[in-house]
Amino acid sequence: MKKDSIEYNGLIGGLLVFVGLVAYFLIMQAAGLDHNLELRALNIIIMGAGVFYSIKSIKKKNKDFDYFKGIGTGMFTAVSSSLAFAIFIFIFLLSNPAFLEEIKNVEPFGNYLNAFLISFIIVMEGAGSGFFLSFGFMQWYKKRTPEKFLKEQRHNQDSK
């Protein structure tokens, strides 16, 4: 894999996000706050840092950086880290049935939850938040301003 590719930067960023999410989860568990599911909203800060890092990294390494490479890198980061974290949680829930029962008791639709469904929800939340984060960060990083876009359009029309 080349170091200026979407896949490479997405996997490196995904690995960093995964480590951050696992560390945050284990810290919350050690502090006795693992039952407070609202604290998972702070996962977006970890995801945002990883997506930002990945996009910044590929922009620095790739001469042909454009809008879609940035969004692709951010999405690859989000999906790879979410999949890895979902597998971690799936294994954790299977090895710790008391924690799964605690989640079932706290959640409104807890009777329908199992380890697989919780893992699936984690992947969907991670991919969704990663898409919005990637889109937002690419607004910051995009090359073409409206003035450049209009200038390119005029140039293309003149050359026809």
Side-chain angles (χ1 to χ4, degrees):
M1 234 183 293
K2 295 191 308 186
K3 291 190 177 192
D4 65 344
S5 70
I6 291 172
E7 295 84 7
Y8 178 82
N9 288 287
L11 283 176
I12 296 299
L15 180 64
L16 293 173
V17 171
F18 169 68
V19 168
L21 290 173
V22 169
Y24 177 63
F25 177 77
L26 294 175
I27 289 169
M28 290 296 105
Q29 181 147 24
L33 297 171
D34 55 348
H35 64 280
N36 191 346
L37 296 178
E38 288 78 22
L39 287 175
R40 72 180 181 188
L42 296 176
N43 289 349
I44 198 158
I45 294 170
I46 299 167
M47 180 70 74
V51 168
F52 183 79
Y53 167 78
S54 295
I55 293 172
K56 183 178 177 183
S57 178
I58 196 169
K59 183 178 186 325
K60 194 182 298 182
K61 295 175 187 173
N62 196 316
K63 290 181 271 183
D64 300 325
F65 177 78
D66 63 5
Y67 191 78
F68 293 111
K69 283 184 183 174
I71 286 187
T73 301
M75 281 300 301
F76 205 93
T77 299
V79 170
S80 64
S81 63
S82 297
L83 279 171
F85 188 63
I87 291 169
F88 168 78
I89 292 295
F90 182 77
I91 293 168
F92 183 83
L93 291 173
L94 289 180
S95 64
N96 193 352
F99 185 63
L100 180 59
E101 286 303 316
E102 190 175 333
I103 291 173
K104 285 182 176 184
N105 293 334
V106 174
E107 285 297 306
F109 295 102
N111 294 336
Y112 305 105
L113 293 177
N114 58 40
F116 178 77
L117 189 57
I118 291 171
S119 299
F120 178 75
I121 291 168
I122 288 171
V123 171
M124 292 297 106
E125 284 180 350
S129 65
F131 173 76
F132 288 112
L133 287 166
S134 299
F135 180 73
F137 290 139
M138 282 312 299
Q139 298 308 308
W140 179 270
Y141 276 119
K142 67 182 176 181
K143 279 177 155 179
R144 294 184 352 180
T145 60
E147 294 82 22
K148 286 183 184 178
F149 178 75
L150 292 173
K151 187 176 179 181
E152 288 174 7
Q153 292 299 318
R154 282 189 216 113
H155 177 67
N156 290 341
Q157 289 176 353
D158 292 343
S159 64
K160 287 184 179 179

